[in-house]
Amino acid sequence: MAVASTGASMASRGSGPLAPLRDAQLVPDGHSTRILDGLVGMLLVIRTNPPGIPLPVAQLVIVAFLVLALFRHPTRSFRGARWYPSVMVVLMAFLLAETVLNGIDPTRRAGNIAALMLFAAFLASGRIDIGSVLKGLGVGLLLNAVLFYARVAPNNYEGKLTGFLEDKNASALVYAIAAILLTLTTRRLRARILILAAGAVAVVLTDSRTTIAAYAVALLYLLVSTWVNRGFQLVALAGAVLAFLWADNNLTTLGDYAFDRKGSDAFRMRIDFASGQKALAAPWYGSGLGQATVQLDSGTWFFHNSYQALIVEGGIVLIVVMVALYAVVGLGIGTKVIVDATRFDARVVTAATLVVFLCAVRLGEVFFTPIAFLVLGVGLARLLGPIGQDPPWWRR
């Protein structure tokens, strides 16, 4: 699983949108995989519940990572992002208070969110090895696809690639983000292209229209942002959002989608309408954790919009904090200056964050998922410097 070094000569000769770089590497050349981190990372793809346990394996994996991290020393200092621990503590206190105020037991939902916040912090600090987790996740996703088509893994969506990820939209989100982040583990241009191409195939096989559109515009941003400065990168981001909105709307009228999905899309619109009404009725501090559901046709349905879910669960406070958090970390904005956004690692983090933001428009649980907090942890790591040293951007 270890990635071999491509050598200094290759790093100096590389060019193009996926060119190797010699500095600011979140996964260094010649990275040696931590076997334990890799093995645990493989299990992140399992969203099914073990027998007799009310939690999915992916949540148990996050807890396992936290336990491992407690017995390790950090390699990066939070001097470059001192605000993160403070923001997380204050936000958790607010969520607990407003949920109790609404007469709801916050234990399970708050525990899950707190674990994800710690997971991102430990990733950023180096207690959990980023490269090993990404490689393990990549192997897990490959095995999931193999077992799915071998008819061993679950098939819940009539042949759409799901497997142990269970839901096709959740599956697409994980495959899309993992493929983008996995390019950090190699400096070889061909390997990066192969990883991104494999990710595209997997996302298409899930048949998630929203994620297909999000992945496409993220790849487009990754390509365009190679040759432009920071200002034009922000323009490219805005263009990517507009391209996504167009693609997401027009995919519903292409081919079999216009007929095969007519009934399900109509029901989805009913859910969206009820979700919007609930979000509008929520107080400024929210209706409490775990309340992003609606009752329709004698059933309980989760929201299909993560932004509305944030408003319902934590009001204007939660949506402002979470959107700002992903924007700050994903765009590489530190406490003083902007980290060099032309580096490959920076552009990868931005592209992965773009998938998070875009998929959140149509998917109900995006921001508080392990894969989204993996993006957050990797992005935070870029803002931090080694223990005893300044962050890479501090003296600029």
mmCIF file with all atom_site columns, all heavy atoms in Angstrom, residues 273-297:
data_model
loop_
_atom_site.group_PDB
_atom_site.id
_atom_site.type_symbol
_atom_site.label_atom_id
_atom_site.label_alt_id
_atom_site.label_comp_id
_atom_site.label_asym_id
_atom_site.label_entity_id
_atom_site.label_seq_id
_atom_site.pdbx_PDB_ins_code
_atom_site.Cartn_x
_atom_site.Cartn_y
_atom_site.Cartn_z
_atom_site.occupancy
_atom_site.B_iso_or_equiv
_atom_site.pdbx_formal_charge
_atom_site.auth_seq_id
_atom_site.auth_comp_id
_atom_site.auth_asym_id
_atom_site.auth_atom_id
_atom_site.pdbx_PDB_model_num
ATOM 1   N N   . PHE A 1 273 ? -40.706 20.415 -0.335 1.00 0.00 ? 273 PHE A N   1
ATOM 2   C CA  . PHE A 1 273 ? -41.650 21.468 0.065  1.00 0.00 ? 273 PHE A CA  1
ATOM 3   C C   . PHE A 1 273 ? -41.882 21.421 1.574  1.00 0.00 ? 273 PHE A C   1
ATOM 4   O O   . PHE A 1 273 ? -41.838 22.458 2.253  1.00 0.00 ? 273 PHE A O   1
ATOM 5   C CB  . PHE A 1 273 ? -42.971 21.306 -0.674 1.00 0.00 ? 273 PHE A CB  1
ATOM 6   C CG  . PHE A 1 273 ? -44.007 22.325 -0.275 1.00 0.00 ? 273 PHE A CG  1
ATOM 7   C CD1 . PHE A 1 273 ? -43.961 23.612 -0.763 1.00 0.00 ? 273 PHE A CD1 1
ATOM 8   C CD2 . PHE A 1 273 ? -45.026 21.976 0.621  1.00 0.00 ? 273 PHE A CD2 1
ATOM 9   C CE1 . PHE A 1 273 ? -44.910 24.554 -0.383 1.00 0.00 ? 273 PHE A CE1 1
ATOM 10  C CE2 . PHE A 1 273 ? -45.977 22.913 1.005  1.00 0.00 ? 273 PHE A CE2 1
ATOM 11  C CZ  . PHE A 1 273 ? -45.919 24.207 0.512  1.00 0.00 ? 273 PHE A CZ  1
ATOM 12  N N   . ALA A 1 274 ? -42.116 20.218 2.101  1.00 0.00 ? 274 ALA A N   1
ATOM 13  C CA  . ALA A 1 274 ? -42.342 20.083 3.545  1.00 0.00 ? 274 ALA A CA  1
ATOM 14  C C   . ALA A 1 274 ? -41.097 20.476 4.330  1.00 0.00 ? 274 ALA A C   1
ATOM 15  O O   . ALA A 1 274 ? -41.189 21.097 5.405  1.00 0.00 ? 274 ALA A O   1
ATOM 16  C CB  . ALA A 1 274 ? -42.745 18.645 3.865  1.00 0.00 ? 274 ALA A CB  1
ATOM 17  N N   . SER A 1 275 ? -39.925 20.145 3.799  1.00 0.00 ? 275 SER A N   1
ATOM 18  C CA  . SER A 1 275 ? -38.668 20.512 4.468  1.00 0.00 ? 275 SER A CA  1
ATOM 19  C C   . SER A 1 275 ? -38.500 22.026 4.502  1.00 0.00 ? 275 SER A C   1
ATOM 20  O O   . SER A 1 275 ? -38.090 22.603 5.522  1.00 0.00 ? 275 SER A O   1
ATOM 21  C CB  . SER A 1 275 ? -37.479 19.872 3.741  1.00 0.00 ? 275 SER A CB  1
ATOM 22  O OG  . SER A 1 275 ? -37.590 18.473 3.705  1.00 0.00 ? 275 SER A OG  1
ATOM 23  N N   . GLY A 1 276 ? -38.805 22.671 3.374  1.00 0.00 ? 276 GLY A N   1
ATOM 24  C CA  . GLY A 1 276 ? -38.696 24.127 3.317  1.00 0.00 ? 276 GLY A CA  1
ATOM 25  C C   . GLY A 1 276 ? -39.631 24.805 4.297  1.00 0.00 ? 276 GLY A C   1
ATOM 26  O O   . GLY A 1 276 ? -39.255 25.790 4.951  1.00 0.00 ? 276 GLY A O   1
ATOM 27  N N   . GLN A 1 277 ? -40.835 24.281 4.429  1.00 0.00 ? 277 GLN A N   1
ATOM 28  C CA  . GLN A 1 277 ? -41.790 24.850 5.376  1.00 0.00 ? 277 GLN A CA  1
ATOM 29  C C   . GLN A 1 277 ? -41.299 24.690 6.816  1.00 0.00 ? 277 GLN A C   1
ATOM 30  O O   . GLN A 1 277 ? -41.428 25.596 7.642  1.00 0.00 ? 277 GLN A O   1
ATOM 31  C CB  . GLN A 1 277 ? -43.153 24.168 5.217  1.00 0.00 ? 277 GLN A CB  1
ATOM 32  C CG  . GLN A 1 277 ? -43.837 24.452 3.890  1.00 0.00 ? 277 GLN A CG  1
ATOM 33  C CD  . GLN A 1 277 ? -44.143 25.924 3.719  1.00 0.00 ? 277 GLN A CD  1
ATOM 34  O OE1 . GLN A 1 277 ? -43.516 26.611 2.906  1.00 0.00 ? 277 GLN A OE1 1
ATOM 35  N NE2 . GLN A 1 277 ? -45.102 26.430 4.466  1.00 0.00 ? 277 GLN A NE2 1
ATOM 36  N N   . LYS A 1 278 ? -40.719 23.534 7.120  1.00 0.00 ? 278 LYS A N   1
ATOM 37  C CA  . LYS A 1 278 ? -40.207 23.298 8.472  1.00 0.00 ? 278 LYS A CA  1
ATOM 38  C C   . LYS A 1 278 ? -39.015 24.198 8.769  1.00 0.00 ? 278 LYS A C   1
ATOM 39  O O   . LYS A 1 278 ? -38.861 24.694 9.892  1.00 0.00 ? 278 LYS A O   1
ATOM 40  C CB  . LYS A 1 278 ? -39.822 21.833 8.643  1.00 0.00 ? 278 LYS A CB  1
ATOM 41  C CG  . LYS A 1 278 ? -39.523 21.435 10.087 1.00 0.00 ? 278 LYS A CG  1
ATOM 42  C CD  . LYS A 1 278 ? -39.398 19.932 10.243 1.00 0.00 ? 278 LYS A CD  1
ATOM 43  C CE  . LYS A 1 278 ? -39.174 19.555 11.705 1.00 0.00 ? 278 LYS A CE  1
ATOM 44  N NZ  . LYS A 1 278 ? -39.100 18.069 11.899 1.00 0.00 ? 278 LYS A NZ  1
ATOM 45  N N   . ALA A 1 279 ? -38.170 24.427 7.762  1.00 0.00 ? 279 ALA A N   1
ATOM 46  C CA  . ALA A 1 279 ? -37.020 25.310 7.944  1.00 0.00 ? 279 ALA A CA  1
ATOM 47  C C   . ALA A 1 279 ? -37.470 26.752 8.182  1.00 0.00 ? 279 ALA A C   1
ATOM 48  O O   . ALA A 1 279 ? -36.909 27.471 9.019  1.00 0.00 ? 279 ALA A O   1
ATOM 49  C CB  . ALA A 1 279 ? -36.097 25.228 6.726  1.00 0.00 ? 279 ALA A CB  1
ATOM 50  N N   . LEU A 1 280 ? -38.492 27.184 7.450  1.00 0.00 ? 280 LEU A N   1
ATOM 51  C CA  . LEU A 1 280 ? -39.017 28.544 7.630  1.00 0.00 ? 280 LEU A CA  1
ATOM 52  C C   . LEU A 1 280 ? -39.643 28.733 9.005  1.00 0.00 ? 280 LEU A C   1
ATOM 53  O O   . LEU A 1 280 ? -39.590 29.820 9.582  1.00 0.00 ? 280 LEU A O   1
ATOM 54  C CB  . LEU A 1 280 ? -40.046 28.851 6.538  1.00 0.00 ? 280 LEU A CB  1
ATOM 55  C CG  . LEU A 1 280 ? -39.506 29.064 5.125  1.00 0.00 ? 280 LEU A CG  1
ATOM 56  C CD1 . LEU A 1 280 ? -40.654 29.191 4.131  1.00 0.00 ? 280 LEU A CD1 1
ATOM 57  C CD2 . LEU A 1 280 ? -38.609 30.296 5.068  1.00 0.00 ? 280 LEU A CD2 1
ATOM 58  N N   . ALA A 1 281 ? -40.224 27.661 9.535  1.00 0.00 ? 281 ALA A N   1
ATOM 59  C CA  . ALA A 1 281 ? -40.899 27.752 10.833 1.00 0.00 ? 281 ALA A CA  1
ATOM 60  C C   . ALA A 1 281 ? -39.943 27.611 12.007 1.00 0.00 ? 281 ALA A C   1
ATOM 61  O O   . ALA A 1 281 ? -40.328 27.894 13.155 1.00 0.00 ? 281 ALA A O   1
ATOM 62  C CB  . ALA A 1 281 ? -41.984 26.673 10.924 1.00 0.00 ? 281 ALA A CB  1
ATOM 63  N N   . ALA A 1 282 ? -38.716 27.203 11.752 1.00 0.00 ? 282 ALA A N   1
ATOM 64  C CA  . ALA A 1 282 ? -37.758 26.985 12.846 1.00 0.00 ? 282 ALA A CA  1
ATOM 65  C C   . ALA A 1 282 ? -37.347 28.320 13.473 1.00 0.00 ? 282 ALA A C   1
ATOM 66  O O   . ALA A 1 282 ? -37.172 29.319 12.768 1.00 0.00 ? 282 ALA A O   1
ATOM 67  C CB  . ALA A 1 282 ? -36.523 26.253 12.328 1.00 0.00 ? 282 ALA A CB  1
ATOM 68  N N   . PRO A 1 283 ? -37.179 28.364 14.797 1.00 0.00 ? 283 PRO A N   1
ATOM 69  C CA  . PRO A 1 283 ? -36.685 29.599 15.441 1.00 0.00 ? 283 PRO A CA  1
ATOM 70  C C   . PRO A 1 283 ? -35.237 29.863 15.054 1.00 0.00 ? 283 PRO A C   1
ATOM 71  O O   . PRO A 1 283 ? -34.569 28.987 14.494 1.00 0.00 ? 283 PRO A O   1
ATOM 72  C CB  . PRO A 1 283 ? -36.820 29.278 16.937 1.00 0.00 ? 283 PRO A CB  1
ATOM 73  C CG  . PRO A 1 283 ? -36.797 27.790 17.022 1.00 0.00 ? 283 PRO A CG  1
ATOM 74  C CD  . PRO A 1 283 ? -37.440 27.285 15.772 1.00 0.00 ? 283 PRO A CD  1
ATOM 75  N N   . TRP A 1 284 ? -34.730 31.035 15.386 1.00 0.00 ? 284 TRP A N   1
ATOM 76  C CA  . TRP A 1 284 ? -33.381 31.404 14.969 1.00 0.00 ? 284 TRP A CA  1
ATOM 77  C C   . TRP A 1 284 ? -32.331 30.467 15.538 1.00 0.00 ? 284 TRP A C   1
ATOM 78  O O   . TRP A 1 284 ? -31.258 30.282 14.952 1.00 0.00 ? 284 TRP A O   1
ATOM 79  C CB  . TRP A 1 284 ? -33.078 32.844 15.383 1.00 0.00 ? 284 TRP A CB  1
ATOM 80  C CG  . TRP A 1 284 ? -32.964 33.034 16.880 1.00 0.00 ? 284 TRP A CG  1
ATOM 81  C CD1 . TRP A 1 284 ? -33.951 33.401 17.731 1.00 0.00 ? 284 TRP A CD1 1
ATOM 82  C CD2 . TRP A 1 284 ? -31.782 32.851 17.685 1.00 0.00 ? 284 TRP A CD2 1
ATOM 83  N NE1 . TRP A 1 284 ? -33.488 33.461 19.024 1.00 0.00 ? 284 TRP A NE1 1
ATOM 84  C CE2 . TRP A 1 284 ? -32.150 33.135 19.034 1.00 0.00 ? 284 TRP A CE2 1
ATOM 85  C CE3 . TRP A 1 284 ? -30.472 32.497 17.420 1.00 0.00 ? 284 TRP A CE3 1
ATOM 86  C CZ2 . TRP A 1 284 ? -31.242 33.051 20.091 1.00 0.00 ? 284 TRP A CZ2 1
ATOM 87  C CZ3 . TRP A 1 284 ? -29.552 32.415 18.466 1.00 0.00 ? 284 TRP A CZ3 1
ATOM 88  C CH2 . TRP A 1 284 ? -29.941 32.691 19.780 1.00 0.00 ? 284 TRP A CH2 1
ATOM 89  N N   . TYR A 1 285 ? -32.640 29.845 16.680 1.00 0.00 ? 285 TYR A N   1
ATOM 90  C CA  . TYR A 1 285 ? -31.676 28.941 17.309 1.00 0.00 ? 285 TYR A CA  1
ATOM 91  C C   . TYR A 1 285 ? -31.922 27.485 16.921 1.00 0.00 ? 285 TYR A C   1
ATOM 92  O O   . TYR A 1 285 ? -31.210 26.592 17.364 1.00 0.00 ? 285 TYR A O   1
ATOM 93  C CB  . TYR A 1 285 ? -31.732 29.085 18.839 1.00 0.00 ? 285 TYR A CB  1
ATOM 94  C CG  . TYR A 1 285 ? -33.128 28.977 19.422 1.00 0.00 ? 285 TYR A CG  1
ATOM 95  C CD1 . TYR A 1 285 ? -33.693 27.737 19.682 1.00 0.00 ? 285 TYR A CD1 1
ATOM 96  C CD2 . TYR A 1 285 ? -33.876 30.118 19.681 1.00 0.00 ? 285 TYR A CD2 1
ATOM 97  C CE1 . TYR A 1 285 ? -34.974 27.635 20.204 1.00 0.00 ? 285 TYR A CE1 1
ATOM 98  C CE2 . TYR A 1 285 ? -35.163 30.029 20.212 1.00 0.00 ? 285 TYR A CE2 1
ATOM 99  C CZ  . TYR A 1 285 ? -35.702 28.782 20.471 1.00 0.00 ? 285 TYR A CZ  1
ATOM 100 O OH  . TYR A 1 285 ? -36.973 28.684 20.973 1.00 0.00 ? 285 TYR A OH  1
ATOM 101 N N   . GLY A 1 286 ? -32.930 27.223 16.079 1.00 0.00 ? 286 GLY A N   1
ATOM 102 C CA  . GLY A 1 286 ? -33.174 25.875 15.600 1.00 0.00 ? 286 GLY A CA  1
ATOM 103 C C   . GLY A 1 286 ? -34.202 25.115 16.418 1.00 0.00 ? 286 GLY A C   1
ATOM 104 O O   . GLY A 1 286 ? -34.597 25.532 17.507 1.00 0.00 ? 286 GLY A O   1
ATOM 105 N N   . SER A 1 287 ? -34.604 23.977 15.878 1.00 0.00 ? 287 SER A N   1
ATOM 106 C CA  . SER A 1 287 ? -35.614 23.135 16.531 1.00 0.00 ? 287 SER A CA  1
ATOM 107 C C   . SER A 1 287 ? -35.015 21.956 17.280 1.00 0.00 ? 287 SER A C   1
ATOM 108 O O   . SER A 1 287 ? -35.742 21.141 17.834 1.00 0.00 ? 287 SER A O   1
ATOM 109 C CB  . SER A 1 287 ? -36.609 22.611 15.476 1.00 0.00 ? 287 SER A CB  1
ATOM 110 O OG  . SER A 1 287 ? -37.241 23.675 14.816 1.00 0.00 ? 287 SER A OG  1
ATOM 111 N N   . GLY A 1 288 ? -33.685 21.839 17.274 1.00 0.00 ? 288 GLY A N   1
ATOM 112 C CA  . GLY A 1 288 ? -33.036 20.769 18.016 1.00 0.00 ? 288 GLY A CA  1
ATOM 113 C C   . GLY A 1 288 ? -32.358 19.751 17.115 1.00 0.00 ? 288 GLY A C   1
ATOM 114 O O   . GLY A 1 288 ? -32.756 19.538 15.967 1.00 0.00 ? 288 GLY A O   1
ATOM 115 N N   . LEU A 1 289 ? -31.320 19.125 17.617 1.00 0.00 ? 289 LEU A N   1
ATOM 116 C CA  . LEU A 1 289 ? -30.583 18.108 16.865 1.00 0.00 ? 289 LEU A CA  1
ATOM 117 C C   . LEU A 1 289 ? -31.485 16.923 16.531 1.00 0.00 ? 289 LEU A C   1
ATOM 118 O O   . LEU A 1 289 ? -32.328 16.515 17.330 1.00 0.00 ? 289 LEU A O   1
ATOM 119 C CB  . LEU A 1 289 ? -29.378 17.632 17.680 1.00 0.00 ? 289 LEU A CB  1
ATOM 120 C CG  . LEU A 1 289 ? -28.252 18.648 17.896 1.00 0.00 ? 289 LEU A CG  1
ATOM 121 C CD1 . LEU A 1 289 ? -27.192 18.088 18.833 1.00 0.00 ? 289 LEU A CD1 1
ATOM 122 C CD2 . LEU A 1 289 ? -27.629 19.055 16.560 1.00 0.00 ? 289 LEU A CD2 1
ATOM 123 N N   . GLY A 1 290 ? -31.298 16.394 15.328 1.00 0.00 ? 290 GLY A N   1
ATOM 124 C CA  . GLY A 1 290 ? -32.057 15.229 14.910 1.00 0.00 ? 290 GLY A CA  1
ATOM 125 C C   . GLY A 1 290 ? -33.449 15.520 14.408 1.00 0.00 ? 290 GLY A C   1
ATOM 126 O O   . GLY A 1 290 ? -34.224 14.586 14.175 1.00 0.00 ? 290 GLY A O   1
ATOM 127 N N   . GLN A 1 291 ? -33.784 16.799 14.202 1.00 0.00 ? 291 GLN A N   1
ATOM 128 C CA  . GLN A 1 291 ? -35.143 17.155 13.795 1.00 0.00 ? 291 GLN A CA  1
ATOM 129 C C   . GLN A 1 291 ? -35.296 17.416 12.296 1.00 0.00 ? 291 GLN A C   1
ATOM 130 O O   . GLN A 1 291 ? -36.345 17.901 11.863 1.00 0.00 ? 291 GLN A O   1
ATOM 131 C CB  . GLN A 1 291 ? -35.595 18.392 14.574 1.00 0.00 ? 291 GLN A CB  1
ATOM 132 C CG  . GLN A 1 291 ? -35.647 18.183 16.071 1.00 0.00 ? 291 GLN A CG  1
ATOM 133 C CD  . GLN A 1 291 ? -36.493 16.973 16.443 1.00 0.00 ? 291 GLN A CD  1
ATOM 134 O OE1 . GLN A 1 291 ? -37.693 16.941 16.171 1.00 0.00 ? 291 GLN A OE1 1
ATOM 135 N NE2 . GLN A 1 291 ? -35.874 15.971 17.061 1.00 0.00 ? 291 GLN A NE2 1
ATOM 136 N N   . ALA A 1 292 ? -34.277 17.086 11.514 1.00 0.00 ? 292 ALA A N   1
ATOM 137 C CA  . ALA A 1 292 ? -34.342 17.336 10.070 1.00 0.00 ? 292 ALA A CA  1
ATOM 138 C C   . ALA A 1 292 ? -35.072 16.204 9.353  1.00 0.00 ? 292 ALA A C   1
ATOM 139 O O   . ALA A 1 292 ? -34.546 15.527 8.467  1.00 0.00 ? 292 ALA A O   1
ATOM 140 C CB  . ALA A 1 292 ? -32.934 17.499 9.501  1.00 0.00 ? 292 ALA A CB  1
ATOM 141 N N   . THR A 1 293 ? -36.323 15.984 9.750  1.00 0.00 ? 293 THR A N   1
ATOM 142 C CA  . THR A 1 293 ? -37.187 14.972 9.134  1.00 0.00 ? 293 THR A CA  1
ATOM 143 C C   . THR A 1 293 ? -38.586 15.553 8.957  1.00 0.00 ? 293 THR A C   1
ATOM 144 O O   . THR A 1 293 ? -38.963 16.520 9.631  1.00 0.00 ? 293 THR A O   1
ATOM 145 C CB  . THR A 1 293 ? -37.281 13.699 9.998  1.00 0.00 ? 293 THR A CB  1
ATOM 146 O OG1 . THR A 1 293 ? -37.835 14.043 11.285 1.00 0.00 ? 293 THR A OG1 1
ATOM 147 C CG2 . THR A 1 293 ? -35.911 13.058 10.189 1.00 0.00 ? 293 THR A CG2 1
ATOM 148 N N   . VAL A 1 294 ? -39.337 14.940 8.040  1.00 0.00 ? 294 VAL A N   1
ATOM 149 C CA  . VAL A 1 294 ? -40.732 15.342 7.821  1.00 0.00 ? 294 VAL A CA  1
ATOM 150 C C   . VAL A 1 294 ? -41.604 14.093 7.784  1.00 0.00 ? 294 VAL A C   1
ATOM 151 O O   . VAL A 1 294 ? -41.130 12.997 7.484  1.00 0.00 ? 294 VAL A O   1
ATOM 152 C CB  . VAL A 1 294 ? -40.896 16.135 6.505  1.00 0.00 ? 294 VAL A CB  1
ATOM 153 C CG1 . VAL A 1 294 ? -40.187 17.469 6.589  1.00 0.00 ? 294 VAL A CG1 1
ATOM 154 C CG2 . VAL A 1 294 ? -40.380 15.332 5.313  1.00 0.00 ? 294 VAL A CG2 1
ATOM 155 N N   . GLN A 1 295 ? -42.874 14.281 8.085  1.00 0.00 ? 295 GLN A N   1
ATOM 156 C CA  . GLN A 1 295 ? -43.847 13.190 8.060  1.00 0.00 ? 295 GLN A CA  1
ATOM 157 C C   . GLN A 1 295 ? -44.690 13.293 6.792  1.00 0.00 ? 295 GLN A C   1
ATOM 158 O O   . GLN A 1 295 ? -45.368 14.290 6.571  1.00 0.00 ? 295 GLN A O   1
ATOM 159 C CB  . GLN A 1 295 ? -44.755 13.267 9.298  1.00 0.00 ? 295 GLN A CB  1
ATOM 160 C CG  . GLN A 1 295 ? -44.030 13.171 10.626 1.00 0.00 ? 295 GLN A CG  1
ATOM 161 C CD  . GLN A 1 295 ? -43.445 11.788 10.863 1.00 0.00 ? 295 GLN A CD  1
ATOM 162 O OE1 . GLN A 1 295 ? -44.014 10.779 10.468 1.00 0.00 ? 295 GLN A OE1 1
ATOM 163 N NE2 . GLN A 1 295 ? -42.294 11.751 11.523 1.00 0.00 ? 295 GLN A NE2 1
ATOM 164 N N   . LEU A 1 296 ? -44.622 12.258 5.962  1.00 0.00 ? 296 LEU A N   1
ATOM 165 C CA  . LEU A 1 296 ? -45.402 12.223 4.729  1.00 0.00 ? 296 LEU A CA  1
ATOM 166 C C   . LEU A 1 296 ? -45.909 10.803 4.494  1.00 0.00 ? 296 LEU A C   1
ATOM 167 O O   . LEU A 1 296 ? -45.137 9.832  4.635  1.00 0.00 ? 296 LEU A O   1
ATOM 168 C CB  . LEU A 1 296 ? -44.564 12.654 3.520  1.00 0.00 ? 296 LEU A CB  1
ATOM 169 C CG  . LEU A 1 296 ? -44.319 14.154 3.312  1.00 0.00 ? 296 LEU A CG  1
ATOM 170 C CD1 . LEU A 1 296 ? -43.430 14.360 2.088  1.00 0.00 ? 296 LEU A CD1 1
ATOM 171 C CD2 . LEU A 1 296 ? -45.624 14.902 3.132  1.00 0.00 ? 296 LEU A CD2 1
ATOM 172 N N   . ASP A 1 297 ? -47.174 10.678 4.129  1.00 0.00 ? 297 ASP A N   1
ATOM 173 C CA  . ASP A 1 297 ? -47.761 9.370  3.809  1.00 0.00 ? 297 ASP A CA  1
ATOM 174 C C   . ASP A 1 297 ? -47.486 8.344  4.903  1.00 0.00 ? 297 ASP A C   1
ATOM 175 O O   . ASP A 1 297 ? -47.053 7.219  4.649  1.00 0.00 ? 297 ASP A O   1
ATOM 176 C CB  . ASP A 1 297 ? -47.222 8.851  2.477  1.00 0.00 ? 297 ASP A CB  1
ATOM 177 C CG  . ASP A 1 297 ? -47.609 9.742  1.304  1.00 0.00 ? 297 ASP A CG  1
ATOM 178 O OD1 . ASP A 1 297 ? -48.496 10.594 1.491  1.00 0.00 ? 297 ASP A OD1 1
ATOM 179 O OD2 . ASP A 1 297 ? -47.018 9.585  0.228  1.00 0.00 ? 297 ASP A OD2 1
#
